[in-house]
Amino acid sequence: MTVSERTGGEPPDTRAPAAGEPAAGGHRLQTGPQVAPPSPPPPLPPGWTIAPPDFVGVGTMKSGTTWWWSVLIEHPDVTSSREAQAAAECPGDDPRQRHRRIHRAKEVHFFDHLGQVLELDPASYHRYFPRPAGTIAGEWTPRYMHDFWTPPMLRAVAPRAKLLVMLRDPLARLASALGFHRALTRRQDLAAVMDHQFGRAFYWQQMQRLRAVFPDEQILVLQYEKCIAEPQRQARRTFEFLGVDPDAWRPPHALSDQVGLSFAAPTLTQATQDAFRQAIAPDIARLLAAFPDIDPALWPSAPRA
């Protein structure tokens, strides 16, 4: 299995509700193109309770978040209440349907359209996280870290949530994201796709927005390449951060098993790679200074001392 096969991505849903129509989560939206509400919340099984999420993965796209989500939900004390709902919405054994099922269960995309939201009821978000007693529940939508409006809104509706951030070598992440868009989306404006994905490479800037509203003790930064090299150790670190017993985790499959679809990454010219490294170098230098646990030796595109 190649590294790229551990990373996934969900094609954006471009359905737009009518002006003033309540979204699935109880939002009321302004008129706007390309705006989609999240899927309806899952049903509440008998004996389960609804509460704010205990954890929320907020980044980053094409950095192994789907793989790491599959690691998390194998813990007996982590509840993923959206699995059955995702199976009903995406039936069949076709690889793309399996891919979609994973993402429907993992990603709520509650705040994606928030730039057009007039009202926000915290309980409408909490309904996505029913759980039996003694377990924790959460989600992982990788774009939350990128959208500037999401961190303060997330803080407003889930102030005690623990945040998970998975970071990958910026150039490798860019190439993977471009391959994903080329394979699975209908967007034809490659320049716009490149510009958007370039913006996602500024990790330090995005982390500053998170840290402005959440204390550092509620944020765990994981390095994708470390998770590849030492998955057991990094999984234990993640479970300890979430407050569940690491020794209770017994994954039924090998951690190297393929989770999502794999996509061929485009070949970027050397000039493009050099320009990208130069553009992000100041941001990455600040990131490495702020988070010394990130090993720059594992990132070929990181600035060298």
Side-chain angles (χ1 to χ4, degrees):
M1 171 176 159
T2 64
V3 165
S4 65
E5 289 170 338
R6 291 193 180 91
T7 61
E10 173 69 0
D13 187 348
T14 57
R15 296 172 293 114
E21 175 186 348
H27 306 317
R28 188 160 57 88
L29 305 179
Q30 297 177 356
T31 303
Q34 305 293 311
V35 176
S39 297
L44 178 63
W48 289 29
T49 59
I50 289 174
D54 299 285
F55 68 92
V56 178
V58 296
T60 57
M61 177 189 178
K62 304 307 297 176
S63 297
T65 61
T66 300
W67 169 49
W68 213 242
W69 170 262
S70 74
V71 170
L72 294 182
I73 62 173
E74 294 298 346
H75 194 288
D77 294 335
V78 178
T79 296
S80 177
S81 59
R82 298 177 297 278
E83 300 291 334
Q85 182 184 24
E89 293 175 353
C90 306
D93 292 327
D94 175 84
R96 291 204 176 194
Q97 286 295 88
R98 292 198 301 270
H99 180 79
R100 287 181 180 275
R101 279 199 298 275
I102 294 170
H103 284 271
R104 293 294 174 90
K106 166 197 167 201
E107 303 179 12
V108 173
H109 289 272
F110 187 83
F111 303 97
D112 290 9
H113 58 289
L114 204 56
Q116 310 244 350
V117 166
L118 295 175
E119 298 173 356
L120 179 62
D121 175 15
S124 64
Y125 184 50
H126 302 168
R127 284 197 288 270
Y128 287 87
F129 308 101
R131 78 288 299 277
T135 67
I136 64 173
E139 64 139 325
W140 201 322
T141 302
R143 71 171 298 138
Y144 285 171
M145 178 172 160
H146 171 70
D147 293 330
F148 67 86
W149 59 84
T150 296
M153 291 297 176
L154 179 58
R155 174 73 180 184
V157 299
R160 297 180 181 178
K162 295 182 178 181
L163 306 187
L164 299 173
V165 178
M166 180 81 83
L167 300 179
R168 182 183 184 183
D169 175 76
L171 184 57
R173 195 215 65 80
L174 173 69
S176 181
L178 294 176
F180 161 76
H181 277 283
R182 184 172 63 181
L184 285 187
T185 75
R186 295 184 294 274
R187 295 178 65 176
Q188 300 300 316
D189 188 347
L190 297 182
V193 172
M194 175 68 88
D195 185 64
H196 174 76
Q197 293 301 332
F198 171 68
R200 289 195 180 213
F202 289 83
Y203 297 157
W204 177 81
Q205 184 181 96
Q206 296 171 67
M207 289 300 305
Q208 288 302 98
R209 292 200 291 265
L210 287 179
R211 299 171 79 191
V213 291
F214 282 92
D216 284 355
E217 57 266 24
Q218 284 180 232
I219 304 173
L220 176 66
V221 177
L222 296 157
Q223 187 173 9
Y224 173 61
E225 292 78 7
K226 279 189 177 180
C227 292
I228 292 289
E230 46 184 33
Q232 296 278 350
R233 180 179 178 185
Q234 295 301 317
R236 187 175 189 90
R237 179 178 173 226
T238 305
F239 290 132
E240 288 174 347
F241 172 74
L242 295 179
V244 295
D245 182 6
D247 294 325
W249 175 59
R250 296 288 187 274
H253 57 78
L255 291 181
S256 60
D257 283 355
Q258 181 172 340
V259 175
L261 296 174
S262 60
F263 310 98
T267 300
L268 301 177
T269 66
Q270 190 61 51
T272 298
Q273 295 182 46
D274 292 344
F276 177 82
R277 290 190 182 97
Q278 182 177 7
I280 68 168
D283 183 271
I284 297 303
R286 293 187 181 100
L287 178 82
L288 296 174
F291 298 94
D293 286 343
I294 297 175
D295 185 354
L298 299 177
W299 284 0
S301 59
R304 295 293 178 249

